[in-house]
Amino acid sequence: MLKSFQAGGTRWSDAQAERPAAAYHEFYRDDFQPREHYLPLWKHIQRAGQRGLALKAREAHLALHNEGVTFTLYSDQESGIERVWPFDILPRLVTAGEWTPIEAGLKQRIRALDRFIHDVYHEQCILKDGVVPPELIYRGRDLCRDILDVDPPGGVYIHISGVDLIRDESGRYLVLEDNLRTPSGVSYMIENRLIERRILPEFFQRYRVRPVEHYPERLLQRLRQLSPRGAADAVVVVLTPGIFNSAYFEHSFLAREMGVELAEGRDLVCRNDRVYLKTTLGLRQVDVIYRRIDDDYLDPLVFRPDSLLGVPGIIRAWRAGHVALVNAPGTGIADDKAVYAYVPDIIRYYLGEEPILPSVPTYQMTDPQDRDYVLDNLERMVIKAVSESGGREMLMGPTSTAGQRDDFTRRIQADPRRYIAQPVIQLSRHICYLDGELESRHLDLRPFVLHGGDEIEVIPGGLTRVALTKGSLVVNSSQGGGSKDTWVLAD
């Protein structure tokens, strides 16, 4: 059936030949017939043909360009630091039946991880009971001893999170990573939706797509609720490292959509354990800071003394309870990739429940047996540095060279705590319209979760990241990945 698309003027390459046998396809079944919920979209693709799709793609690119939706690509040193956000016009569809366990699993996971962080910075029961090895925590770089026994406003550490999900060869959703520090991508989720509404308006009523555009409003509500001086008069700012950060577009987008100030560290000052914003009318006390700066750069008096990005004294003001920091300092202890392997046990320990969403199997390089196995099978593994993100310091075994594997072998042997390994899983695939052709690419999904203490809300959708390079499993935007709009369908 897919080859019939050739009649519409666009070549469909031999999908069966190019598709890895084990990969799950989001769009069509094993007999290459579109899945039932994709049928209306498939009929539209057939009617539109190459000319119609090309027109939609140009329209989308022009809109993104004119509205300045950009992303910084660190790996490209030749074409400048910014480029128009890469967006594929064909949406990904998630049925209500698929979404329900995802939503429940994410809520369960964030609830347990938040209790874990509180426990580690207070009683440390989970370490004393031997569920998580104490040395794993104490030998990591993410334990922030300066915030031991501090109670954050509202008792919540993980206010905002983005959890990376993949589908394995059987179509089962697995958690790949927990992003709990400063997860990015939510602005692109919203921009993708705005563009999709513009170029495919007829489908939103037909498909009953659940909205995501309300995210900034919900976020501002959550932030205001954390104000030590009450929500009504709360002064909220977004703290950014500045224009050279890869997610600067997102920082400015969220500040603009929430109607709050976007500030750099030099725009804030601490006096008497309070944080103030410098304005033309004088200093204005700040109650809540949505900080998009990592712990290391947040306060030079506590963390890195050479940092110029943060605000001297901000941690002292937070400790005194005069300002709320979102996410709370110290959350990195729970998304350390070495701790990731223990999340199922963490859920059982704090909630007395079985994990709803399984995790990708993970090998600890501090375990001699695990390490020997991984080093003997590097071609079939993904190696990750435990405290890195964005695809940095990662080895993709199947596409690596002998020299790269030797390099990572030396790194692992020199510092086993710094690395974990996971087996290569063929991420699911989806058709994309790329350079005038329909081709399949691997993808993942990053839903966003807001935690307000009594209530945890999962935004129905998320950022679908696409590996634009044929056959690649690297979907990270900072490494050249693209994106799709994600439609979660109502019942």
Side-chain angles (χ1 to χ4, degrees):
M1 183 173 182
L2 291 170
K3 285 187 176 180
S4 68
F5 191 74
Q6 290 176 341
T10 295
R11 179 179 62 82
W12 176 265
S13 54
D14 188 343
Q16 189 167 17
E18 73 172 5
R19 176 191 176 205
Y24 179 86
H25 208 291
E26 305 275 347
F27 190 87
Y28 58 80
R29 307 185 307 239
D30 290 342
D31 60 359
F32 297 103
Q33 296 297 315
R35 299 183 187 279
E36 185 176 356
H37 54 290
Y38 276 106
L39 278 173
L41 181 63
W42 171 239
K43 290 176 182 175
H44 171 81
I45 293 172
Q46 289 179 303
R47 285 195 302 272
Q50 186 181 33
R51 181 173 299 178
L53 293 181
L55 185 63
K56 297 289 187 184
R58 283 198 297 274
E59 184 181 347
H61 182 82
L62 185 61
L64 290 164
H65 181 273
N66 289 341
E67 293 172 16
V69 184
T70 60
F71 193 84
T72 301
L73 191 61
Y74 288 138
S75 59
D76 192 337
Q77 301 298 320
E78 297 181 356
S79 60
I81 63 171
E82 278 192 324
R83 62 174 49 189
V84 175
W85 176 245
F87 170 71
D88 179 58
I89 60 174
L90 302 178
R92 174 192 198 164
L93 275 55
V94 180
T95 66
E98 292 173 331
W99 184 252
T100 297
I102 291 175
E103 185 177 31
L106 293 176
K107 289 181 178 179
Q108 178 193 55
R109 197 171 181 96
I110 296 303
R111 187 179 298 114
L113 287 171
D114 204 83
R115 290 184 61 175
F116 169 71
I117 298 171
H118 184 279
D119 189 16
V120 167
Y121 286 113
H122 291 78
E123 296 83 6
Q124 300 191 339
C125 296
I126 198 168
L127 306 183
K128 295 171 185 172
D129 289 341
V131 177
V132 174
E135 60 271 21
L136 195 73
I137 302 300
Y138 291 118
R139 291 180 184 173
R141 52 171 285 191
D142 294 307
L143 179 66
C144 183
R145 291 174 173 78
D146 293 284
I147 66 167
L148 287 169
D149 295 322
V150 176
D151 291 314
V156 174
Y157 288 85
I158 312 168
H159 304 276
I160 301 158
S161 55
V163 180
D164 292 344
L165 302 177
I166 62 172
R167 299 185 85 166
D168 66 7
E169 294 82 351
S170 68
R172 182 180 57 156
Y173 282 98
L174 304 170
V175 176
L176 181 64
E177 288 185 6
D178 301 293
N179 299 288
L180 311 178
R181 305 176 204 217
T182 55
S184 64
V186 73
S187 62
Y188 301 108
M189 172 189 75
I190 297 171
E191 291 287 1
N192 285 353
R193 177 59 52 84
L194 296 176
I195 295 297
E196 205 75 300
R197 282 191 185 280
R198 180 182 301 183
I199 64 174
L200 295 176
E202 66 273 26
F203 284 96
F204 281 86
Q205 184 66 29
R206 186 171 189 170
Y207 268 120
R208 300 181 62 215
V209 181
R210 296 180 63 183
V212 298
E213 300 93 322
H214 60 296
Y215 177 86
E217 177 186 346
R218 296 292 177 85
L219 174 60
L220 182 59
Q221 289 176 354
R222 304 281 187 187
L223 296 177
R224 286 183 177 279
Q225 289 168 357
L226 296 170
S227 170
R229 296 191 295 172
D233 300 317
V235 175
V236 179
V237 302
V238 175
L239 178 59
T240 176
I243 61 172
F244 295 108
N245 186 270
S246 63
Y248 181 75
F249 168 81
E250 176 153 303
H251 306 163
S252 58
F253 173 92
L254 290 173
R256 183 178 67 248
E257 292 297 313
M258 291 192 293
V260 305
E261 294 289 339
L262 178 66
E264 297 185 24
R266 59 190 175 185
D267 300 319
L268 302 175
V269 64
C270 293
R271 298 279 189 276
N272 300 320
D273 294 343
R274 288 171 173 77
V275 182
Y276 294 90
L277 177 68
K278 301 173 186 173
T279 77
T280 55
L281 300 177
L283 298 181
R284 186 183 184 196
Q285 186 173 344
V286 175
D287 303 291
V288 183
I289 299 175
Y290 179 23
R291 51 98 174 198
R292 298 297 297 258
I293 296 178
D294 289 340
D295 284 358
D296 285 350
Y297 306 96
L298 191 56
D299 186 340
L301 300 182
V302 177
F303 303 107
R304 289 185 53 160
D306 59 334
S307 172
L308 301 176
L309 299 177
V311 184
I314 197 172
I315 291 296
R316 185 179 170 98
W318 177 70
R319 280 200 201 107
H322 295 315
V323 69
L325 296 176
V326 176
N327 285 336
T331 52
I333 195 70
D335 72 359
D336 177 335
K337 293 180 178 64
V339 173
Y340 165 88
Y342 292 90
V343 174
D345 292 329
I346 289 172
I347 292 172
R348 296 185 188 99
Y349 183 80
Y350 292 111
L351 306 181
E353 303 170 359
E354 284 300 309
I356 298 171
L357 289 171
S359 303
V360 173
T362 301
Y363 297 95
Q364 298 282 6
M365 294 302 89
T366 51
D367 182 293
Q369 192 171 0
D370 277 12
R371 185 170 64 247
D372 289 345
Y373 176 79
V374 168
L375 294 180
D376 288 340
N377 295 275
L378 276 178
E379 297 91 338
R380 299 191 288 124
M381 295 288 169
V382 181
I383 310 297
K384 299 178 181 178
V386 297
S387 294
E388 294 292 344
S389 60
R392 291 185 288 272
E393 201 169 349
M394 183 173 75
L395 177 77
M396 291 295 296
T399 57
S400 64
T401 64
Q404 290 170 329
R405 292 192 292 275
D406 289 344
D407 177 39
F408 267 81
T409 296
R410 287 191 291 271
R411 295 189 197 191
I412 291 170
Q413 290 172 334
D415 189 359
R417 175 61 178 80
R418 184 169 171 75
Y419 298 95
I420 54 98
Q422 295 173 328
V424 175
I425 293 177
Q426 290 293 324
L427 309 185
S428 62
R429 290 154 55 101
H430 197 291
I431 60 170
C432 301
Y433 182 71
L434 301 171
D435 299 325
E437 306 291 347
L438 287 178
E439 295 192 1
S440 291
R441 292 291 186 271
H442 294 289
L443 43 73
D444 74 353
L445 173 63
R446 175 176 292 180
F448 295 94
V449 186
L450 293 173
H451 184 1
D454 296 335
E455 182 186 2
I456 300 178
E457 179 181 9
V458 183
I459 304 302
L463 180 65
T464 285
R465 303 183 300 176
V466 180
L468 292 179
T469 302
K470 188 175 183 178
S472 173
L473 297 173
V474 180
V475 299
N476 303 73
S477 304
S478 56
Q479 302 298 319
S483 70
K484 280 179 174 292
D485 193 14
T486 308
W487 295 3
V488 173
L489 309 182
D491 289 330

